[in-house]
DNA sequence: CTGTTAGCGCCTTCAT
DNA sequence: ATGAAGGCGCTAACAG
């Protein structure tokens, strides 16, 4: 079958163990024999069987990444941040998409534990934390990305969802809008709740009594969903003059939905997104949005995970919170047609 | 540490072997004891150690996906097609990005072989085929995605690159354009060569003597690169009246580049992309492009790979070629300002 | 420094 | 239908 240390050992006339030591650059070995063994391995095109090594050492060199949807550029960038960092440290990453479906997330964790990954990054955003407790019980190093838990003591890397939503809403308020609708993902997602709360806070501070009609949830974060939700919102009476979308993917769909029912951005309705995916700036109407450093967040999450893996779990939990920033583009109108001068809180 | 079959065996008062048979639903076992064992496993929250199983059975349940860049929506969609399909069949997928760098691709293959994946999908598009021969030598099932090899007998799933480029170029020619520039990725990528050749064929048929100045290659497929290349192209004298971009990512960058040097799409220059990523239709100027069914291609590639894995490699190689389609949008102008009536070849 | 002895957790013969 | 023995390829103690 495939060539093994045993083969090399026989050729070199040493024990398997010595081969192992040579190939793993252990200190307790003669430089000479090491070179010799390495040369033979080279010639035979030997590639070590990582899974056998994992089994024997109880140490895996792969990590798991559980993510809602790779097709969403925001998550894709985070995934790259993770993968690049993992690779740099000799780790591979198994990616599993969940489409925000709780059962999928649970299955993903089971699968990853089955492979005995060295650790898991949970980017999916299901509100239930049972899986997580289970993982903790199984001693699997874990980092939450884009979400956190108040009850559980885990590392996490997030953006300040509430603040971001607050800034976005405030921006719209400052432009003079009052009837501001919001389109969101499923209620079970923690960050959906956080961003909603930021929105509510801003509305409340502005003394605006909000109609519940203006807050609507979709089943997922895909553009198609955003389209539907925006249509629905624009058909309310009176219709909103501004919409805040939970994320850019929904916002992109919202653009289409708004257009479909005959309205124009920003003339009839202002739109703000969240994430600042690379396409936001290039849309038909460039999108005003909240910036998150997706790649960096992925990298950070991975670095923390790797640290926790190598530290054997004995270290204080880390909580990294990135600051959201507003990127003003055309989807809320230019300064000429703004009612109030824009103040970036 | 983590609970094993041995633990279950002790509790159930049977041999490890029997546990294995029960949990794997083997036929040669008493229904009664099977139920009993499964119940115990359940209660203990047992999750089998997949890697131990792999080592013993010499069968892995993970496949490798080598991809240029997850952040490119086209590849992301293909990746999802692969992942969904793999998951459905009980496989996990390890994704490795290469950024189109040959050395990265080689490393990726080594890594994947190291974890003894059941098979590999190579979406990266390096022209060298040495790695592939090596894989074949190592008997690793392999499917090429987006590229193919004439010399090597491997499965592949592609879109007809040459034809797609031909259609795109023809579209521009039919609109009356003569000075058509083309911006491409690195020359070592097979599909870059194929699309270039489709473009050249169309130009040749139209009897247009082409200045080599209008054909430019970039180092990668990122929008930033597209921006640079488009700028360069628009500064030629005389400047092109149309640009065909190797892919939508480059095209999106090209939009920015064209704008930067003071020109407007489609008034001053027409633009055609390739891939039809989800954002193409929503751009500042909706992009005319060649449609590829990315998700389906990923799914198909994965299905073929899984078939080859289960067939033990004994089956004829499969070559799937998807037909490219033109999606006409605004980036080449509306019919009013077209010089020639548009004929979709 | 190197070899020997034991596994890692599971699957695969072969017996029974 | 079940058990015992052996091994997958490697690492981890020990010896020496």
């Amino acid at each position: 079958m495939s060539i093994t240390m045993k083969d090399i050992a026989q050729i070199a006339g040493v024990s398997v163990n010595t081969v192992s030591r040579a190939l793993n650059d252990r200190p307790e070995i003669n430089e000479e024999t090491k070179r010799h063994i390495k040369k033979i391995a080279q010639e035979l095109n030997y590639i070590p069987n990582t899974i056998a090594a994992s089994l024997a050492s109880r140490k895996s060199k792969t990590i798991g990444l559980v993510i809602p949807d790779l097709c969403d550029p925001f998550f894709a960038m985070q995934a790259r941040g993770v993968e690049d960092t993992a690779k740099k440290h000799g780790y591979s990453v198994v990616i599993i998409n969940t489409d925000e479906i709780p059962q999928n997330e649970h299955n993903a964790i089971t699968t990853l534990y089955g492979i005995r990954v060295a650790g898991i990054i949970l980017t999916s955003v299901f509100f239930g934390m049972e899986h997580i407790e289970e993982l903790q019980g199984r001693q699997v190093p874990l980092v939450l990305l884009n979400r956190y838990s108040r009850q559980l003591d885990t590392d996490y890397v997030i953006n300040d969802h509430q603040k971001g939503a607050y800034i976005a809403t405030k921006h719209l308020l400052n432009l003079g809008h009052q009837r501001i609708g919001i389109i969101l993902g499923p209620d079970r997602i923690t960050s959906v709740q956080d961003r909603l709360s930021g929105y509510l806070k801003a509305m409340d501070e502005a003394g605006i009594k909000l109609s519940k009609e203006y807050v609507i949830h979709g089943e997922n974060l895909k553009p198609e969903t955003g389209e539907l939700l925006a249509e629905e919102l624009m058909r309310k009476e009176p219709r909103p003059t501004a919409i805040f979308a939970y994320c850019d993917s929904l916002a992109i769909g919202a653009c289409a939905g708004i257009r479909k029912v005959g309205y124009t951005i920003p003339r009839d309705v202002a739109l703000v997104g969240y994430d600042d995916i690379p396409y936001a700036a290039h849309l038909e109407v460039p999108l005003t949005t909240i910036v998150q450093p997706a790649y960096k967040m992925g990298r950070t999450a991975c670095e923390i995970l790797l640290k926790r893996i190598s530290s054997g779990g004995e270290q204080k939990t880390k909580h990294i919170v990135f600051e959201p920033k507003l990127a003003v583009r055309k989807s809320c109108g230019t300064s000429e047609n703004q009612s109030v001068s824009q103040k970036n809180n």
Side-chain angles (χ1 to χ4, degrees), chain A residues 18 47 94 108 174 177 195-196 224 249 273 275 297 342:
Chain A
T18 303
I47 298 179
V94 173
N174 285 344
H177 294 283
R195 291 187 199 171
L196 175 56
E224 303 87 276
S249 287
D275 289 347
M297 291 173 81
Q342 173 224 321

Side-chain angles (χ1 to χ4, degrees), chain A residues 193-242:
Chain A
Q193 303 182 353
D194 294 339
R195 291 187 199 171
L196 175 56
S197 111
Y199 159 85
L200 292 175
K201 185 178 166 215
M203 294 299 272
D204 192 55
E205 281 182 17
I208 297 179
K209 254 297 192 231
L210 162 100
S211 159
K212 284 218 169 128
E213 296 231 319
Y214 288 152
V215 176
I216 53 181
H217 292 271
E219 251 324 286
N220 56 52
L221 309 176
K222 294 184 202 296
E224 303 87 276
T225 304
E227 182 169 348
L228 258 40
L229 299 182
E231 276 184 59
E232 189 183 332
L233 215 43
M234 293 306 285
R235 290 214 175 89
K236 305 276 185 197
E237 307 255 354
R239 63 169 178 77
T241 63

Side-chain angles (χ1 to χ4, degrees), chain A residues 137-158:
Chain A
R138 295 191 196 270
Q139 314 254 40
V140 181
L142 174 70
V143 175
L144 300 182
L145 180 53
N146 301 331
R147 71 163 159 187
Y148 62 95
S149 164
R150 283 197 196 76
Q151 305 100 60
L152 271 36
D153 186 38
T154 54
D155 294 319
Y156 62 74
V157 175
I158 58 169

